[in-house]
PDB file of all heavy atoms in Angstrom:
ATOM      1  N   GLU A 662     -14.692  25.900  -3.993  1.00 95.00           N
ATOM      2  CA  GLU A 662     -15.836  26.698  -4.433  1.00 95.00           C
ATOM      3  C   GLU A 662     -16.626  27.215  -3.239  1.00 95.00           C
ATOM      4  O   GLU A 662     -17.843  27.348  -3.308  1.00 95.00           O
ATOM      5  CB  GLU A 662     -16.717  25.863  -5.364  1.00 95.00           C
ATOM      6  CG  GLU A 662     -16.015  25.518  -6.672  1.00 95.00           C
ATOM      7  CD  GLU A 662     -16.860  24.648  -7.586  1.00 95.00           C
ATOM      8  OE1 GLU A 662     -16.965  23.443  -7.343  1.00 95.00           O
ATOM      9  OE2 GLU A 662     -17.415  25.201  -8.564  1.00 95.00           O
ATOM     10  N   MET A 688     -22.412  31.656  -8.642  1.00 91.00           N
ATOM     11  CA  MET A 688     -22.439  30.490  -9.512  1.00 91.00           C
ATOM     12  C   MET A 688     -22.425  29.175  -8.737  1.00 91.00           C
ATOM     13  O   MET A 688     -22.715  28.121  -9.295  1.00 91.00           O
ATOM     14  CB  MET A 688     -21.253  30.528 -10.479  1.00 91.00           C
ATOM     15  CG  MET A 688     -21.250  31.752 -11.384  1.00 91.00           C
ATOM     16  SD  MET A 688     -22.814  31.995 -12.276  1.00 91.00           S
ATOM     17  CE  MET A 688     -22.803  30.567 -13.349  1.00 91.00           C
ATOM     18  N   VAL A 788     -13.060  28.223 -19.566  1.00 98.00           N
ATOM     19  CA  VAL A 788     -12.969  29.671 -19.774  1.00 98.00           C
ATOM     20  C   VAL A 788     -11.884  30.260 -18.870  1.00 98.00           C
ATOM     21  O   VAL A 788     -11.525  29.688 -17.840  1.00 98.00           O
ATOM     22  CB  VAL A 788     -14.312  30.377 -19.490  1.00 98.00           C
ATOM     23  CG1 VAL A 788     -15.350  29.999 -20.534  1.00 98.00           C
ATOM     24  CG2 VAL A 788     -14.814  30.058 -18.086  1.00 98.00           C
ATOM     25  N   VAL A 838     -19.512  34.411 -18.406  1.00 94.00           N
ATOM     26  CA  VAL A 838     -18.542  34.882 -17.412  1.00 94.00           C
ATOM     27  C   VAL A 838     -18.409  36.405 -17.448  1.00 94.00           C
ATOM     28  O   VAL A 838     -18.187  37.046 -16.417  1.00 94.00           O
ATOM     29  CB  VAL A 838     -17.166  34.202 -17.588  1.00 94.00           C
ATOM     30  CG1 VAL A 838     -17.286  32.711 -17.354  1.00 94.00           C
ATOM     31  CG2 VAL A 838     -16.555  34.490 -18.936  1.00 94.00           C
ATOM     32  N   ILE A 841     -21.035  38.214 -15.284  1.00 91.00           N
ATOM     33  CA  ILE A 841     -20.909  38.235 -13.827  1.00 91.00           C
ATOM     34  C   ILE A 841     -19.571  38.818 -13.368  1.00 91.00           C
ATOM     35  O   ILE A 841     -19.224  38.737 -12.193  1.00 91.00           O
ATOM     36  CB  ILE A 841     -21.091  36.816 -13.228  1.00 91.00           C
ATOM     37  CG1 ILE A 841     -20.023  35.856 -13.755  1.00 91.00           C
ATOM     38  CG2 ILE A 841     -22.481  36.287 -13.518  1.00 91.00           C
ATOM     39  CD1 ILE A 841     -20.031  34.505 -13.065  1.00 91.00           C
ATOM     40  N   TYR A 843     -16.472  37.829 -14.002  1.00 95.00           N
ATOM     41  CA  TYR A 843     -15.678  36.709 -13.497  1.00 95.00           C
ATOM     42  C   TYR A 843     -14.187  36.943 -13.702  1.00 95.00           C
ATOM     43  O   TYR A 843     -13.763  37.608 -14.652  1.00 95.00           O
ATOM     44  CB  TYR A 843     -16.109  35.429 -14.221  1.00 95.00           C
ATOM     45  CG  TYR A 843     -15.602  34.153 -13.607  1.00 95.00           C
ATOM     46  CD1 TYR A 843     -16.234  33.601 -12.505  1.00 95.00           C
ATOM     47  CD2 TYR A 843     -14.492  33.506 -14.141  1.00 95.00           C
ATOM     48  CE1 TYR A 843     -15.770  32.423 -11.940  1.00 95.00           C
ATOM     49  CE2 TYR A 843     -14.027  32.326 -13.587  1.00 95.00           C
ATOM     50  CZ  TYR A 843     -14.659  31.794 -12.484  1.00 95.00           C
ATOM     51  OH  TYR A 843     -14.202  30.634 -11.922  1.00 95.00           O
ATOM     52  N   GLY A 847     -12.440  28.919 -15.020  1.00 97.00           N
ATOM     53  CA  GLY A 847     -13.775  28.399 -14.722  1.00 97.00           C
ATOM     54  C   GLY A 847     -14.211  27.453 -15.825  1.00 97.00           C
ATOM     55  O   GLY A 847     -13.609  27.404 -16.899  1.00 97.00           O
ATOM     56  N   THR A 848     -15.251  26.702 -15.546  1.00 97.00           N
ATOM     57  CA  THR A 848     -15.772  25.753 -16.525  1.00 97.00           C
ATOM     58  C   THR A 848     -17.287  25.809 -16.521  1.00 97.00           C
ATOM     59  O   THR A 848     -17.911  25.711 -15.460  1.00 97.00           O
ATOM     60  CB  THR A 848     -15.333  24.316 -16.196  1.00 97.00           C
ATOM     61  OG1 THR A 848     -13.907  24.265 -16.134  1.00 97.00           O
ATOM     62  CG2 THR A 848     -15.803  23.351 -17.256  1.00 97.00           C
ATOM     63  N   LEU A 849     -17.864  25.989 -17.688  1.00 96.00           N
ATOM     64  CA  LEU A 849     -19.318  25.912 -17.829  1.00 96.00           C
ATOM     65  C   LEU A 849     -19.673  24.544 -18.381  1.00 96.00           C
ATOM     66  O   LEU A 849     -19.132  24.126 -19.416  1.00 96.00           O
ATOM     67  CB  LEU A 849     -19.848  27.017 -18.743  1.00 96.00           C
ATOM     68  CG  LEU A 849     -19.979  28.366 -18.017  1.00 96.00           C
ATOM     69  CD1 LEU A 849     -18.696  29.175 -18.176  1.00 96.00           C
ATOM     70  CD2 LEU A 849     -21.179  29.147 -18.499  1.00 96.00           C
ATOM     71  N   GLU A 850     -20.556  23.849 -17.680  1.00 95.00           N
ATOM     72  CA  GLU A 850     -20.919  22.489 -18.055  1.00 95.00           C
ATOM     73  C   GLU A 850     -22.287  22.490 -18.729  1.00 95.00           C
ATOM     74  O   GLU A 850     -23.233  23.132 -18.245  1.00 95.00           O
ATOM     75  CB  GLU A 850     -20.908  21.587 -16.826  1.00 95.00           C
ATOM     76  CG  GLU A 850     -19.559  21.604 -16.102  1.00 95.00           C
ATOM     77  CD  GLU A 850     -19.301  20.354 -15.295  1.00 95.00           C
ATOM     78  OE1 GLU A 850     -20.207  19.500 -15.208  1.00 95.00           O
ATOM     79  OE2 GLU A 850     -18.184  20.234 -14.766  1.00 95.00           O
ATOM     80  N   PHE A 861     -27.309  24.615 -20.285  1.00 94.00           N
ATOM     81  CA  PHE A 861     -26.440  24.886 -19.145  1.00 94.00           C
ATOM     82  C   PHE A 861     -26.827  24.011 -17.964  1.00 94.00           C
ATOM     83  O   PHE A 861     -27.997  23.873 -17.623  1.00 94.00           O
ATOM     84  CB  PHE A 861     -26.560  26.358 -18.754  1.00 94.00           C
ATOM     85  CG  PHE A 861     -25.873  26.713 -17.463  1.00 94.00           C
ATOM     86  CD1 PHE A 861     -24.502  26.915 -17.410  1.00 94.00           C
ATOM     87  CD2 PHE A 861     -26.600  26.841 -16.284  1.00 94.00           C
ATOM     88  CE1 PHE A 861     -23.874  27.238 -16.223  1.00 94.00           C
ATOM     89  CE2 PHE A 861     -25.989  27.166 -15.090  1.00 94.00           C
ATOM     90  CZ  PHE A 861     -24.616  27.365 -15.059  1.00 94.00           C
ATOM     91  N   MET A 862     -25.830  23.406 -17.320  1.00 89.00           N
ATOM     92  CA  MET A 862     -26.051  22.632 -16.099  1.00 89.00           C
ATOM     93  C   MET A 862     -25.554  23.390 -14.878  1.00 89.00           C
ATOM     94  O   MET A 862     -26.273  23.610 -13.920  1.00 89.00           O
ATOM     95  CB  MET A 862     -25.315  21.293 -16.171  1.00 89.00           C
ATOM     96  CG  MET A 862     -25.958  20.249 -17.024  1.00 89.00           C
ATOM     97  SD  MET A 862     -25.262  18.626 -16.587  1.00 89.00           S
ATOM     98  CE  MET A 862     -23.521  18.881 -16.892  1.00 89.00           C
ATOM     99  N   GLU A 863     -24.271  23.757 -14.911  1.00 89.00           N
ATOM    100  CA  GLU A 863     -23.661  24.416 -13.771  1.00 89.00           C
ATOM    101  C   GLU A 863     -22.337  25.023 -14.193  1.00 89.00           C
ATOM    102  O   GLU A 863     -21.810  24.723 -15.266  1.00 89.00           O
ATOM    103  CB  GLU A 863     -23.425  23.427 -12.623  1.00 89.00           C
ATOM    104  CG  GLU A 863     -22.441  22.310 -12.957  1.00 89.00           C
ATOM    105  CD  GLU A 863     -22.305  21.302 -11.840  1.00 89.00           C
ATOM    106  OE1 GLU A 863     -23.100  21.365 -10.889  1.00 89.00           O
ATOM    107  OE2 GLU A 863     -21.400  20.457 -11.919  1.00 89.00           O
ATOM    108  N   MET A 864     -21.806  25.860 -13.321  1.00 94.00           N
ATOM    109  CA  MET A 864     -20.467  26.396 -13.541  1.00 94.00           C
ATOM    110  C   MET A 864     -19.584  25.999 -12.373  1.00 94.00           C
ATOM    111  O   MET A 864     -19.974  26.138 -11.217  1.00 94.00           O
ATOM    112  CB  MET A 864     -20.477  27.917 -13.672  1.00 94.00           C
ATOM    113  CG  MET A 864     -19.091  28.483 -13.926  1.00 94.00           C
ATOM    114  SD  MET A 864     -19.064  30.257 -14.144  1.00 94.00           S
ATOM    115  CE  MET A 864     -17.312  30.484 -14.542  1.00 94.00           C
ATOM    116  N   ASN A 865     -18.408  25.502 -12.693  1.00 94.00           N
ATOM    117  CA  ASN A 865     -17.408  25.202 -11.677  1.00 94.00           C
ATOM    118  C   ASN A 865     -16.424  26.360 -11.625  1.00 94.00           C
ATOM    119  O   ASN A 865     -15.705  26.616 -12.596  1.00 94.00           O
ATOM    120  CB  ASN A 865     -16.679  23.892 -11.998  1.00 94.00           C
ATOM    121  CG  ASN A 865     -17.590  22.694 -11.846  1.00 94.00           C
ATOM    122  OD1 ASN A 865     -18.135  22.461 -10.782  1.00 94.00           O
ATOM    123  ND2 ASN A 865     -17.772  21.952 -12.919  1.00 94.00           N
ATOM    124  N   THR A 866     -16.398  27.043 -10.492  1.00 96.00           N
ATOM    125  CA  THR A 866     -15.599  28.261 -10.354  1.00 96.00           C
ATOM    126  C   THR A 866     -14.203  27.922  -9.821  1.00 96.00           C
ATOM    127  O   THR A 866     -13.751  28.482  -8.824  1.00 96.00           O
ATOM    128  CB  THR A 866     -16.313  29.249  -9.423  1.00 96.00           C
ATOM    129  OG1 THR A 866     -16.601  28.587  -8.172  1.00 96.00           O
ATOM    130  CG2 THR A 866     -17.610  29.735 -10.033  1.00 96.00           C
TER     131      THR A 866
END
Side-chain angles (χ1 to χ4, degrees):
E662 294 178 283
M688 300 307 293
V788 292
V838 297
I841 61 172
Y843 193 81
T848 303
L849 280 91
E850 304 205 355
F861 171 80
M862 283 197 302
E863 63 184 10
M864 181 178 184
N865 291 302
T866 54

